[in-house]
Amino acid sequence: MKRLLLLLLAGAGLWLAACSPLTSTSRSTSLSDRLVAPGGVSTLLDTPRIAEAVDSVPNRHGRVTGRAGVPIFWRAFDPGQYGLRYAYLAQQHDNGEPLRTGLALDLPHPFQPQAPRGTVVLLHGWMMNGDAMLPWSLQLAQSGYRVVTIDLRNHGHSGAGPSGYGTFESDDVIDVINALQARHEVVGPLYLFGVSYGAATALFTADKLGDRVAGVVAMESFANAGDAIRSMIPHLMSLQPSGWKAQAMAAYGRWRYGSQDINQVIAAASQRLDLDLDRVDVARALADTRACVLLLHGQDDQHVQVSQGRRLAAASPRVHYIEMRGEDHITLPLRVDLLGGVVDDWLAQEGRAGAQCASPALPEEADRMAMAQAAATPRG
């Protein structure tokens, strides 16, 4: 019997970490530099332990170089029984230390892969990587899906390129899917599952792929990049972390970045990217998406505010929205214990529903009043 208890972040999508003094070692003096491309890996990740865990389970990996010339790293997990047991560990997450997530594995030897019931492509958050999604990867693989994780450009083992807040990245994802489909790595109904920056990428990808995508799970996505940045940066600047190291880094970040005008920062980043961040409109892409969409958002999310999730929820009648009480941007992706079964059941229904978008099962922690409010918001 092999058991692992990991210090692991299950893909909490800190796309915002590009601007956060808590998660960056950059020497840049401009916030626009932090918006143009990530610089390093979030301190919330315990990278060596994650790599050890990934290496302990069967998987395949490679790279695809697509139309933009950026090599994109992928990793595939076959469906089967991994002996996964997961426990959410409540903890303080403002002290600058890696988050602890309880993941226990009792992997059978030899491992017997099963025939896939479909393929799920997992997309991580900013300053994360595909391996950080391991708990979700194994949860879905045990439910019968082949799981493909992708390191988005500028992350993990992939190459560098201009950040597009999901727009350019979705083209990379499509190139990987096309290449893997030709190799029979992508089989059966295709689903996309993204967290934060990865969720926005998933929605842009689904819009472009049309009927090729059966369903999308989008967790804590922003609705518009410019709007999200304007609300996120003041929140980051106001944080008062508990650990002394985190306090020092936060104070340094406020000193270095706090006086910069956010509108000028966004304009400068937009010019450098040749991409108007105020026109990176995930809600519009969602409105045009043919796939069924399950949106998940934490009610206490102050990084990508819950109003962004509700705006997305109102964008299309093909959306089902779950807003979780007591969860924020860090904790929501870790709640595999609450949401793993919900996602499994919803994907299984989508595989059968065709044009009819199935309603998800609602955990007790879901806020029905918020969901009704989102549904009553005029769509546009």
Side-chain angles (χ1 to χ4, degrees):
M1 178 181 294
K2 185 174 184 179
R3 291 178 59 86
L4 299 174
L5 186 61
L6 307 176
L7 297 177
L8 181 63
L9 176 65
L14 286 180
W15 72 279
L16 54 102
C19 309
S20 174
L22 299 180
T23 56
S24 172
T25 58
S26 170
R27 299 178 183 275
S28 168
T29 59
S30 172
L31 270 175
S32 65
D33 294 337
R34 311 300 300 130
L35 296 179
V36 167
V41 177
S42 172
T43 58
L44 296 177
L45 286 177
D46 191 333
T47 303
R49 290 181 183 248
I50 293 174
E52 177 187 355
V54 170
D55 289 343
S56 73
V57 296
N59 66 85
R60 299 177 301 285
H61 56 82
R63 287 181 178 83
V64 171
T65 299
R67 74 197 84 171
V70 180
I72 302 297
F73 180 85
W74 60 271
R75 190 185 302 277
F77 300 88
D78 282 327
Q81 294 305 308
Y82 290 83
L84 171 67
R85 290 184 296 281
Y86 180 88
Y88 172 72
L89 303 178
Q91 61 204 287
Q92 190 172 0
H93 56 67
D94 65 348
N95 58 7
E97 300 297 324
L99 295 183
R100 299 178 303 121
T101 299
L103 176 70
L105 297 175
D106 187 4
L107 188 70
H109 296 282
F111 174 77
Q112 297 292 334
Q114 302 169 359
R117 62 193 297 184
T119 303
V120 181
V121 174
L122 293 185
L123 303 173
H124 60 83
W126 193 281
M127 291 185 72
M128 302 294 170
N129 56 37
D131 291 348
M133 302 282 284
L134 184 63
W136 278 107
S137 297
L138 299 185
Q139 163 76 22
L140 292 164
Q142 285 202 159
S143 297
Y145 297 96
R146 177 168 291 157
V147 176
V148 176
T149 64
I150 293 177
D151 288 358
L152 298 172
R153 58 170 62 190
N154 303 313
H155 293 81
H157 300 292
S158 290
S163 297
Y165 289 78
T167 56
F168 306 150
E169 294 84 348
S170 57
D171 291 335
D172 297 336
V173 172
I174 291 170
D175 291 337
V176 172
I177 289 172
N178 288 341
L180 294 185
Q181 207 149 30
R183 303 177 198 177
H184 306 291
E185 290 283 2
V186 175
V187 295
L190 173 64
Y191 307 93
L192 307 175
F193 184 148
V195 175
S196 193
Y197 157 66
T201 302
L203 291 168
F204 281 118
T205 303
D207 180 27
K208 294 174 181 178
L209 286 180
D211 292 334
R212 291 177 62 186
V213 176
V216 181
V217 178
M219 184 177 288
E220 56 195 22
S221 176
F222 55 91
N224 175 279
D227 291 345
I229 292 167
R230 287 183 179 87
S231 62
M232 172 268 295
I233 289 180
H235 168 68
L236 288 174
M237 292 300 176
S238 70
L239 291 176
Q240 299 292 334
S242 59
W244 69 268
K245 290 183 181 179
Q247 289 175 354
M249 294 177 72
Y252 176 78
R254 283 190 290 271
W255 170 76
R256 177 159 292 227
Y257 299 125
S259 63
Q260 296 181 28
D261 181 89
I262 187 59
N263 290 315
Q264 293 180 5
V265 167
I266 292 173
S270 297
Q271 183 175 18
R272 291 175 60 188
L273 291 171
D274 194 21
L275 175 72
D276 187 345
L277 293 176
D278 284 320
R279 293 183 179 273
V280 178
D281 194 341
V282 185
R284 179 174 297 178
L286 175 55
D288 293 338
T289 297
R290 298 180 188 177
C292 296
V293 178
L294 175 61
L295 291 179
L296 303 165
H297 217 104
Q299 200 164 79
D300 296 339
D301 194 335
Q302 296 299 314
H303 297 97
V304 177
Q305 292 183 350
V306 72
S307 59
Q308 296 266 318
R310 294 177 184 177
R311 180 174 167 186
L312 287 172
S316 170
R318 301 183 66 76
V319 168
H320 286 286
Y321 179 60
I322 296 179
E323 189 171 294
M324 297 292 288
R325 294 190 300 272
E327 306 299 339
D328 59 31
H329 202 76
I330 309 297
T331 64
L332 187 68
L334 299 171
R335 298 314 305 255
V336 183
D337 57 325
L338 295 178
L339 297 173
V342 173
V343 171
D344 286 346
D345 291 344
W346 186 78
L347 292 178
Q349 291 185 75
E350 284 312 310
R352 299 190 305 265
Q356 181 72 28
C357 291
S359 298
L362 296 179
E364 292 183 1
E365 295 81 1
D367 193 320
R368 291 168 175 79
M369 183 178 297
M371 288 185 287
Q373 175 183 336
T377 303
R379 303 182 190 275

